[in-house]
């Protein structure tokens, strides 16, 4: 141990008046032992300094790597496609880029993005990038629309799933039957099982209808029917989650989220103008859960949904026969008490808001009264008849 090491120095002798006299005292047995121990002491000192110095260098290296962002130089090489998903944050983008070896570290991309005020314009989609780019180069490349692989498709609001499969098939050349097969298990596509709970005592029918959110989608290369439908379901969950749709309809409307989703689809189909989405939703709630004599919907759009589902052409109200309107085999029969089994289309955000935040009113009837699609609403049937007369005068019905 270093405490036991004799460095060859003697205790200073005390001279007169108690003062120390500095110097060496010759030991017994000659002076060679002192020099040998001195050499050993110096050697040990150099070793200790080497260890301490090496540790200091290692520590400095670690600290330096912590403060210096690991980053590649330049614009990279080769070519690789990277998908940025809907709703991706900078950290999510960094995850995708690091996994593809486009950037060296999450920090390199995030710092470069935060330093570029335009980075908020980076959109979801698939980008053609290079491997081993600097963070700054990667951000610049993703802001250059020439590097975005455009394969977009817009799904309009209010389309049925059957109609959506046709649109997707035309765009991707994936057979309709593949979409139909993927849609048979909505939960496998990401719909949580709690969405299929009902408070009205009706049998639960698990369908993807209503969960394919209408929007413009970038179809990734080598996409499958399942991956595309998952993308749409994920978008639905993101939008309704941000709206707090499920929480609010249970608390404010006193219905299950699934029943409210059905109402949103009815409003989407029946309202001729977005201004009336909330009022139409209120009529649906009032008819089924209120004081309407049959507690039924009596909406022709439910009949059309059934006709489409069995491969028959849809019709206007005037074209429908009495047998079609009141077919007892039709589970979407407009006269059946209670809410229908599933949504009848895939509603957009405004229709969802209408079903969630409905205006106060006791309306039970409505009819279109102008060419812009606005409707007149009534609480009683005589009032409704007067509104119908106005609609006929205007040539709407």
């Amino acid at each position: 141990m270093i405490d036991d090491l004799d460095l060859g120095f003697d205790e200073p002798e005390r001279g007169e008046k108690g003062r120390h006299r500095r110097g060496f005292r010759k030991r017994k047995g000659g002076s060679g032992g002192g020099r040998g121990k001195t050499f050993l002491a110096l050697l040990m000192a150099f070793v200790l300094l080497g260890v301490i110095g090496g540790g200091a260098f290692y520590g400095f290296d670690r600290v330096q790597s912590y403060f210096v962002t690991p980053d590649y130089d330049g614009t990279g090489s080769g070519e690789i496609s990277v998908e940025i998903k809907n709703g991706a944050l900078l950290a999510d983008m960094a995850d995708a880029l690091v996994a593809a070896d486009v950037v060296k570290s999450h920090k390199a991309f995030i710092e470069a993005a935060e330093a570029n005020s335009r980075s908020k314009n980076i959109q979801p989609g698939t980008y053609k990038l290079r491997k081993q780019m600097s963070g700054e180069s990667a951000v610049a490349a993703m802001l250059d629309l020439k590097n975005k692989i455009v394969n977009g498709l817009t799904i309009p609001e209010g389309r049925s799933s059957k109609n959506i499969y046709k649109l997707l098939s035309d765009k991707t050349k994936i057979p309709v039957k593949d979409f139909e097969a993927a849609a048979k298990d909505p939960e496998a596509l990401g719909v949580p099982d709690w969405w299929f709970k009902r408070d009205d005592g009706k049998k639960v029918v698990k369908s993807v209808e209503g969960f394919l959110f209408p929007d413009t989608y970038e179809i990734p290369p080598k996409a499958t029917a399942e991956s595309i439908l998952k993308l749409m379901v994920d978008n639905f969950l993101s939008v309704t989650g941000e709206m707090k749709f499920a929480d609010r309809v249970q608390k404010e409307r006193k219905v299950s989220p699934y029943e409210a989703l059905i109402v949103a689809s009815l409003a989407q189909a029946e309202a001729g103008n977005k201004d009336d989405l909330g009022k139409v939703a209120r009529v649906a709630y009032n008819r089924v859960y209120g004081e309407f004599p049959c507690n039924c919907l009596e909406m022709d759009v439910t009949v059309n949904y059934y006709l489409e589902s069995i491969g028959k052409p849809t019709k206007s109200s005037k074209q429908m026969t009495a047998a079609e309107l009141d077919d007892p085999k039709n589970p979407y029969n407009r006269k059946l008490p209670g809410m229908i089994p599933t949504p009848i289309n895939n509603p957009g955000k405004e229709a969802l808001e209408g079903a969630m935040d409905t205006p106060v009113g006791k309306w039970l009837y409505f009819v279109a009264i102008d060419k812009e699609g606005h409707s007149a609403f009534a609480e009683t049937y005589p009032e409704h008849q007067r509104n119908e007369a106005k609609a006929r005068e205007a040539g709407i019905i």
Side-chain angles (χ1 to χ4, degrees), residues 254-303:
K254 308 301 182 185
V255 298
S256 71
Y258 194 61
E259 291 164 76
L261 178 60
I262 294 173
V263 169
S265 74
L266 293 168
Q268 188 75 76
E270 285 281 9
N273 189 288
K274 66 179 182 179
D275 296 337
D276 292 336
L277 286 166
K279 286 186 174 183
V280 174
R282 173 59 72 178
V283 169
Y285 286 129
N286 290 345
R287 286 185 180 184
V288 174
Y289 306 115
E291 298 178 0
F292 202 49
C294 66
N295 290 119
C296 59
L297 285 168
E298 279 204 349
M299 293 182 179
D300 297 347
V301 289
T302 65
V303 177

Side-chain angles (χ1 to χ4, degrees), residues 178 294 313 362 372:
D178 288 7
C294 66
K362 295 181 179 180
E372 286 72 40

Side-chain angles (χ1 to χ4, degrees), residues 224-343:
T224 64
E226 184 178 12
S227 68
I228 294 172
L229 296 186
K230 280 184 175 179
L231 185 67
M232 299 178 74
V233 168
D234 184 63
N235 197 9
F236 169 87
L237 296 175
S238 294
V239 171
T240 53
E242 290 172 3
M243 295 170 61
K244 302 187 184 305
F245 181 85
D247 292 336
R248 287 191 59 186
V249 297
Q250 289 177 100
K251 182 179 179 180
E252 300 169 24
R253 302 278 72 80
K254 308 301 182 185
V255 298
S256 71
Y258 194 61
E259 291 164 76
L261 178 60
I262 294 173
V263 169
S265 74
L266 293 168
Q268 188 75 76
E270 285 281 9
N273 189 288
K274 66 179 182 179
D275 296 337
D276 292 336
L277 286 166
K279 286 186 174 183
V280 174
R282 173 59 72 178
V283 169
Y285 286 129
N286 290 345
R287 286 185 180 184
V288 174
Y289 306 115
E291 298 178 0
F292 202 49
C294 66
N295 290 119
C296 59
L297 285 168
E298 279 204 349
M299 293 182 179
D300 297 347
V301 289
T302 65
V303 177
N304 262 331
Y305 179 73
Y306 175 67
L307 292 175
E308 183 185 12
S309 70
I310 62 175
K312 291 186 177 182
T314 57
K315 299 180 178 182
S316 67
S317 298
K318 290 180 180 179
Q319 295 171 324
M320 289 182 184
T321 66
E324 288 171 333
L325 285 170
D326 301 316
D327 180 2
K329 294 181 181 179
N330 176 5
Y332 295 85
N333 188 319
R334 64 187 193 134
K335 293 283 190 182
L336 289 177
M339 194 57 70
I340 54 178
T342 70

